[in-house]
Amino acid sequence: MSDLTSRTDVPTTSTGRRVPDKVGLEGLEESWSQRWAELGTYTFDRTRSREEIYSIDTPPPTVSGSLHVGHVFSYTHTDVVARYRRMRGAEVFYPMGWDDNGLPTERRVQNYYGVRCDPSLPYDPDFTPPHEGTDGKTIKASDQVPISRRNFVELCERLTVEDERQFEALWRRLGLSVDWSMTYQTISAEARAVAQQAFLRNLERGEAYQAEAPGLWDVTFQTAVAQAELEARDYPGAFHRVAFHGADGPVHIETTRPELLPACVALIAHPDDERYQHLFGTTVTTPLFGVEVPVLAHPAAEPDKGAGIAMCCTFGDLTDVQWWRELQLPTRSVVQRDGRLLRETPEWITSPEGRERFAALAGKTTFSAREAVVAGLRETGDLDGEPTPTQRKANFYEKGDKPLEIVTSRQWYIRNGGRDEELRTALLERGTELGFHPEFMRVRYANWVGGLNGDWLISRQRFFGVPFPVWYALDADGEPNYDEPLRPTEDQLPVDPSSDVPAGYTADQRGVPGGFIGDPDIMDTWATSSLTPQIAGGWRSDPDLFARVFPMDLRPQGQDIIRTWLFSTVVRAHLEHGSLPWSDAAISGWILDPDRKKMSKSKGNVVTPMGLLEEHGSDAVRYWAASARLGTDAAFEIGQMKIGRRLAIKVLNASKFVLSFGSADEEPSLDPALVTVPLDQAMLAGLAEVVEQATAALESYDHTRALELTETFFWTFCDDYVELVKDRAYGEGAGAASARAALSLALDVLLRLLAPVLPFATEEVWSWWREGSVHRAPWPTSEPLRAAAGDASFATVTAAGAALAALRKVKSEAKVTMRTEILAARLEVPAAQLASVEATVDDVRAAGRAVGTLEVVAADVEQAVAVDVELGESVKRGA
RNA sequence: GGGCGAUUGGCUCAGUGGUAGAGCGCCUCGUUCACACCGAGGAGGUCACUGGUUCGAACCCAGUAUCGCCCACCA
């Protein structure tokens, strides 16, 4: 049994043939995926050295998300690479991860079990959820039972087991050559420990820091949002022309956010703007609220925008933040974290009328506050004209549906070059060291890094996720000391500061003066996902393994997450290891539906991947995926899968035929010395060329070109070469032996060339006549083929094929069966092909049933043509 | 506004300086001896547009248009 796991570095001696009478694709996925599992065909051998290993940082799919054909598409690309590298002799490290961290899982667990995470609660080891599997029904927040973070994580792990099973079943059926004993989960204790350890080291080196600063905030999810998660969307708004009161009369500004009037801290115009020179240095008062604010000059003000003079509020947009910071303006925030205005009138509004105005707005949403402010401005006559509707761009959290507000909060950041020229340059340099496939994806990295405007915000005010592993000492007044966080040691990780206690404290000191509190926040999912090489490679728990796989060779991923996953992984590896996380990145494109739109659930055209595999067969679906080059969007095309299916079936049938020659007890010979006939040598010469070109293509991550070359050769091999030699191969003697050896040699090579794309059909055929797995067989090289071919040229096969086609054409035009004999004919061939056709004329005769005289002459023709043909009696249908 | 990619037969895509290619679809025909999940033959394109370079351009250069995506733009 162990023979299938052993490497076949040299062609094994064949042990005869076990070709079934009937061949087909049905059932190959089940039987082979099971056998591969039993035999450990893809088991990773961790004794190999770094030089012998090819390691892949596979994207962990979000298990709570739905399975999508896009997954099948891009994971097939990776598997083709993995199988190729394995056959090239590398030990492939190809673990699968499950991403069960983050909002999608949080929501599912809430609904599935009817619970809600409350990190302030203690762990309950005997907790039983109130519901179990509520069939997608949403449980109202008020009905959800609050539980500790640890209980919540346990439920998550329980729920995702089922999701993972489904994914694994799909991947096995698709034929991913993953070592299934090596999977990881992004919410596992190990992943949490890795994320916390990496964070603590960042903290120690000063790469992670806390800051109280204005930042983008989602009022629905009530969490801070990072630059990478922004999405600019069109959002309807209106310009309001509003009068401020100056000493010399009104000063008009235009704003889309009149509700921020109470948060106004200054009016700002460009220093060169002549219209406002006389106002610089003076003050004006805000309408309605009567707050005195200065008129200031700043170059970021654009004279041709709006009125040319802007109202600076804390905070309406990122320009406000810039002005606030650079002009050292006061902070007068009125929008709270829930998206509503302050409930109490702020102290900077002093006039009784202003305080009354604000009191009427207190606690309102920004939307109703805006209506109220506009009504007020109308009343006082400070609204000049009517609001003009406009379509503006606003920043949204990619999962949210309300525009982001800017609020001040204490957050954790990791330095990513966003405010540090030296680090930015270093990270841009890393980008140039990384091999992007395709190359043009590189600019997306450079654009993103070049456009960063701040460090990486990694803290989230959510409940489910990896907690920050720090506590803060409370002083005698109960105020936390944020400057010196209390840290665990690395061997204590993972910790949950909401239930674990820092060294030197006892549990009853939590939250009391002189005691401590835990950091309430969790890390952004990218803070964990950016460490997949470290998690999968055993950075923390298995340094021996890590040394053998890191830095990894390949990161396959989608183009949409270059700015997030790819970049953040580069940042973490750069900071922790001073290296790239991998040498190459393979970027897959989108799947487009027939309307050329990205396939999505909302379009209602989602096809379940398992259904696709069941209907068309895995090899067929893989063929479709492998036909699309990296970085190129591909159409979801059933037709392409049918072509793949046809190819897989042809592989089975042609192989069966090739293996049928010779007597049953005779072993197919792979002896190149037997190949003596020019046509056979010419075919092998062509195959040698294909091997070289396909190998070069795969080395440069161009699996599509490799497949195309192989496939084209394979069809020519079947349609022309096999047809030409089959009569001879049926016979006896040196000619027959030559044909049979050439057929076997070609089959042996073609199966290996096709194995990465069609793992099931090729393995099935391999099992008929060879030992071991084709997927552990060595990738073919051209040398043995060239040795057998001598100086023969594939042009001979082309010429003979063209001659055969000319004979077929006569019969096709005469509408007779191909078995009709040709009693006499003259073949006119291009002069350059004359020698080739003459050398192969016996095979051409046999294949064309040219039993009588066949004269071959050179003529001024572009392609071989048969003239003066005398056909024998047509074999009619049913005759 | 800046950038990246795409634009080739009805469809999906190759082709990156030397007389337009493949597969699917279509048309005609054939077939129990590997394969009807088959085979043979055939029709079908001024290579988005305009200009330039060149003996010669689908391919190089400049510009235009359309589509997709990334980034920026929130007064």
Side-chain angles (χ1 to χ4, degrees):
Chain A
M1 264 318 212
S2 65
D3 58 340
L4 274 172
T5 59
S6 68
R7 304 177 140 256
T8 44
D9 289 317
V10 288
T12 56
T13 35
S14 119
T15 56
R17 285 162 282 168
R18 304 173 291 272
V19 185
D21 292 335
K22 281 214 159 179
V23 300
L25 297 174
E26 283 67 32
L28 294 187
E29 290 92 348
E30 286 89 343
S31 59
W32 281 112
S33 56
Q34 198 184 329
R35 291 214 71 194
W36 290 330
E38 286 164 12
L39 301 167
T41 307
Y42 309 120
T43 300
F44 174 66
D45 176 1
R46 63 166 297 160
T47 65
R48 299 305 192 91
S49 68
R50 181 66 196 87
E51 292 67 39
E52 298 170 300
I53 288 170
Y54 187 87
S55 44
I56 304 174
D57 181 23
T58 317
T62 306
V63 286
S64 294
S66 56
L67 302 167
H68 192 281
V69 287
H71 287 116
V72 169
F73 179 72
S74 54
Y75 280 80
T76 296
H77 293 164
T78 310
D79 189 58
V80 169
V81 175
R83 288 181 182 277
Y84 167 69
R85 293 287 166 180
R86 194 178 288 112
M87 291 176 76
R88 287 278 284 179
E91 189 61 29
V92 175
F93 181 67
Y94 184 19
M96 182 60 64
W98 309 117
D99 187 11
D100 37 23
N101 205 347
L103 271 176
T105 302
E106 181 174 331
R107 283 190 190 145
R108 265 199 83 207
V109 170
Q110 285 174 347
N111 284 326
Y112 193 89
Y113 294 112
V115 296
R116 147 174 82 80
C117 179
D118 181 348
S120 67
L121 294 174
Y123 176 62
D124 173 3
D126 302 319
F127 177 75
T128 340
H131 302 276
E132 181 92 42
T134 42
D135 274 345
K137 261 182 284 175
T138 303
I139 297 172
K140 273 188 298 177
S142 53
D143 295 341
Q144 292 169 348
V145 178
I147 59 171
S148 74
R149 176 143 57 206
R150 185 164 158 198
N151 284 112
F152 197 89
V153 168
E154 282 179 2
L155 289 180
C156 157
E157 286 173 331
R158 192 153 118 198
L159 180 59
T160 52
V161 163
E162 184 48 39
D163 295 321
E164 287 162 19
R165 244 185 238 128
Q166 279 191 35
F167 265 79
E168 183 173 332
L170 177 73
W171 291 154
R172 281 183 186 274
R173 185 167 183 117
L174 181 61
L176 296 191
S177 57
V178 161
D179 181 342
W180 288 106
S181 69
M182 298 188 307
T183 57
Y184 66 88
Q185 297 165 291
T186 56
I187 196 59
S188 68
E190 170 70 9
R192 276 179 282 146
V194 166
Q196 292 184 334
Q197 179 166 320
F199 168 79
L200 288 173
R201 293 196 181 183
N202 290 139
L203 183 59
E204 206 162 297
R205 292 190 296 258
E207 295 149 3
Y209 64 91
Q210 253 186 122
E212 171 105 24
L216 293 160
W217 184 270
D218 186 285
V219 299
T220 310
F221 291 97
Q222 298 207 29
T223 182
V225 173
Q227 188 185 352
E229 289 168 303
L230 299 185
E231 211 169 83
R233 295 185 204 153
D234 285 321
Y235 191 69
F239 287 118
H240 302 75
R241 194 168 154 85
V242 176
F244 279 60
H245 307 292
D248 308 326
V251 180
H252 287 98
I253 59 104
E254 284 188 20
T255 180
T256 57
R257 307 273 323 256
E259 72 277 16
L260 292 178
L261 216 42
C264 180
V265 291
L267 294 192
I268 295 172
H270 194 275
D272 301 336
D273 195 327
E274 292 179 4
R275 293 171 294 176
Y276 301 107
Q277 294 296 329
H278 67 288
L279 289 174
F280 291 144
T282 70
T283 61
V284 294
T285 56
T286 59
L288 299 187
F289 306 101
V291 175
E292 187 174 354
V293 297
V295 182
L296 302 171
H298 191 280
E302 295 178 35
D304 54 352
K305 250 187 191 173
I309 186 163
M311 152 175 106
C312 174
C313 305
T314 53
F315 297 95
D317 61 32
L318 293 171
T319 316
D320 286 344
V321 176
Q322 185 189 356
W323 286 330
W324 167 81
R325 189 178 290 130
E326 295 180 12
L327 299 173
Q328 298 180 2
L329 299 167
T331 307
R332 292 177 185 162
S333 300
V334 296
V335 177
Q336 306 182 113
R337 296 182 180 192
D338 60 1
R340 291 173 182 272
L341 266 61
L342 293 174
R343 279 163 182 81
E344 294 186 1
T345 305
E347 78 282 357
W348 64 82
I349 299 177
T350 49
S351 71
E353 193 203 336
R355 293 189 69 82
E356 197 181 315
R357 289 277 182 193
F358 191 90
L361 302 175
K364 282 187 189 294
T365 62
T366 51
F367 184 80
S368 18
R370 181 177 311 165
E371 291 186 333
V373 167
V374 170
L377 290 169
R378 278 215 178 86
E379 206 181 299
T380 59
D382 289 318
L383 183 68
D384 183 20
E386 279 304 297
T388 8
T390 175
Q391 197 68 6
R392 63 195 189 109
K393 290 278 188 186
N395 278 324
F396 286 76
Y397 175 41
E398 56 191 7
K399 296 187 180 74
D401 51 11
K402 283 191 180 159
L404 296 174
E405 293 292 345
I406 295 171
V407 308
T408 300
S409 56
R410 172 172 297 278
Q411 302 289 344
W412 282 105
Y413 296 85
I414 288 180
R415 299 186 198 282
N416 68 353
R419 44 181 66 223
D420 174 352
E421 215 35 62
E422 198 179 325
L423 180 55
R424 185 192 303 246
T425 306
L427 289 169
L428 282 168
E429 172 62 25
R430 289 288 178 217
T432 65
E433 292 166 16
L434 180 60
F436 279 88
H437 309 284
E439 177 63 33
F440 66 75
M441 289 293 176
R442 183 186 302 284
V443 303
R444 299 199 180 195
Y445 177 93
N447 282 351
W448 177 252
V449 180
L452 288 171
N453 56 31
D455 280 330
W456 177 17
L457 171 81
I458 58 163
S459 46
R460 290 304 127 88
Q461 288 64 54
R462 303 297 306 172
F463 317 107
F464 171 64
V466 179
F468 284 89
V470 290
W471 300 264
Y472 308 104
L474 298 177
D475 65 16
D477 300 328
E479 284 300 312
N481 177 5
Y482 290 115
D483 296 334
E484 288 168 56
L486 307 168
R487 311 170 198 192
T489 56
E490 289 186 353
D491 62 337
Q492 292 173 312
L493 302 178
V495 299
D496 183 347
S498 68
S499 52
D500 296 322
V501 174
Y505 290 85
T506 55
D508 56 6
Q509 288 178 282
R510 185 183 294 276
V512 301
F516 71 94
I517 53 162
D519 190 304
D521 289 350
I522 58 158
M523 296 183 199
D524 168 28
T525 57
W526 294 116
T528 306
S529 302
S530 59
L531 296 163
T532 49
Q534 289 83 352
I535 295 168
W539 171 58
R540 184 184 140 83
S541 58
D542 193 346
D544 173 72
L545 176 66
F546 193 64
R548 294 170 195 273
V549 301
F550 188 90
M552 297 200 170
D553 293 277
L554 184 67
R555 155 62 71 83
Q557 66 161 75
Q559 54 187 310
D560 51 330
I561 49 178
I562 289 175
R563 66 175 178 170
T564 50
W565 194 34
L566 189 144
F567 175 59
S568 63
T569 311
V570 170
V571 170
R572 299 312 281 280
H574 176 77
L575 295 178
E576 183 63 41
H577 310 286
S579 75
L580 275 175
W582 356 258
S583 60
D584 291 271
I587 312 292
S588 290
W590 300 117
I591 300 304
L592 304 177
D593 68 16
D595 303 334
R596 302 260 83 193
K597 300 282 182 209
K598 186 186 167 193
M599 253 195 159
S600 63
K601 271 184 274 191
S602 57
K603 300 284 289 179
N605 52 13
V606 166
V607 184
T608 71
M610 193 54 104
L612 210 57
L613 297 183
E614 282 166 358
E615 185 177 351
H616 304 283
S618 294
D619 280 348
V621 176
R622 289 174 63 100
Y623 173 91
W624 159 72
S627 303
R629 3 174 66 169
L630 288 173
T632 302
D633 296 343
F636 176 75
E637 221 198 335
I638 299 288
Q640 197 67 12
M641 297 174 202
K642 292 188 172 161
I643 296 163
R645 183 174 179 83
R646 197 176 70 127
L647 175 64
I649 292 168
K650 193 74 173 182
V651 166
L652 296 179
N653 281 312
S655 302
K656 177 184 164 197
F657 188 49
V658 163
L659 295 172
S660 71
F661 297 111
S663 57
D665 55 346
E666 182 187 322
E667 294 173 1
S669 174
L670 291 166
D671 182 359
L674 293 176
V675 182
T676 53
V677 173
L679 181 68
D680 304 336
Q681 294 175 325
M683 183 276 292
L684 293 181
L687 184 55
E689 189 74 23
V690 168
V691 168
E692 284 161 11
Q693 289 179 14
T695 305
L698 282 163
E699 282 297 315
S700 57
Y701 294 88
D702 188 355
H703 54 254
T704 308
R705 176 94 186 116
L707 171 59
E708 186 189 321
L709 285 161
T710 308
E711 186 189 9
T712 302
F713 183 90
F714 176 71
W715 283 105
T716 305
F717 172 78
C718 291
D719 295 342
D720 291 346
Y721 178 75
V722 173
E723 290 298 322
L724 282 163
V725 303
K726 68 183 182 186
D727 272 40
R728 177 154 55 87
Y730 275 126
E732 301 284 336
S738 175
R740 287 183 217 161
L743 285 166
S744 306
L745 280 164
L747 180 64
D748 169 69
V749 169
L750 284 166
L751 288 173
R752 286 183 280 155
L753 289 176
L754 290 168
V757 177
L758 309 176
F760 294 102
T762 54
E763 183 77 318
E764 172 69 10
V765 172
W766 198 259
S767 75
W768 295 340
W769 64 306
R770 305 297 298 275
E771 292 301 312
S773 167
V774 70
H775 303 298
R776 283 286 182 175
W779 184 253
T781 57
S782 60
E783 290 83 37
L785 298 171
R786 291 234 179 264
D791 53 8
S793 158
F794 188 66
T796 299
V797 176
T798 310
L804 175 59
L807 298 180
R808 285 168 175 164
K809 183 170 180 174
V810 170
K811 297 181 196 177
S812 188
E813 284 175 348
K815 305 188 181 197
V816 297
T817 143
M818 289 297 139
R819 280 159 52 208
T820 305
E821 294 182 334
I822 292 175
L823 302 179
R826 190 170 75 250
L827 263 178
E828 296 186 343
V829 301
Q833 295 184 356
L834 183 64
S836 291
V837 176
E838 283 176 336
T840 59
V841 72
D842 288 343
D843 287 334
V844 172
R845 266 175 187 283
R849 302 266 183 272
V851 298
T853 49
L854 182 68
E855 189 188 354
V856 181
V857 298
D860 184 21
V861 289
E862 285 191 13
Q863 233 181 0
V865 56
V867 295
D868 298 340
V869 180
E870 191 186 331
L871 288 171
E873 194 179 338
S874 169
V875 181
K876 278 294 176 196
R877 194 193 316 249

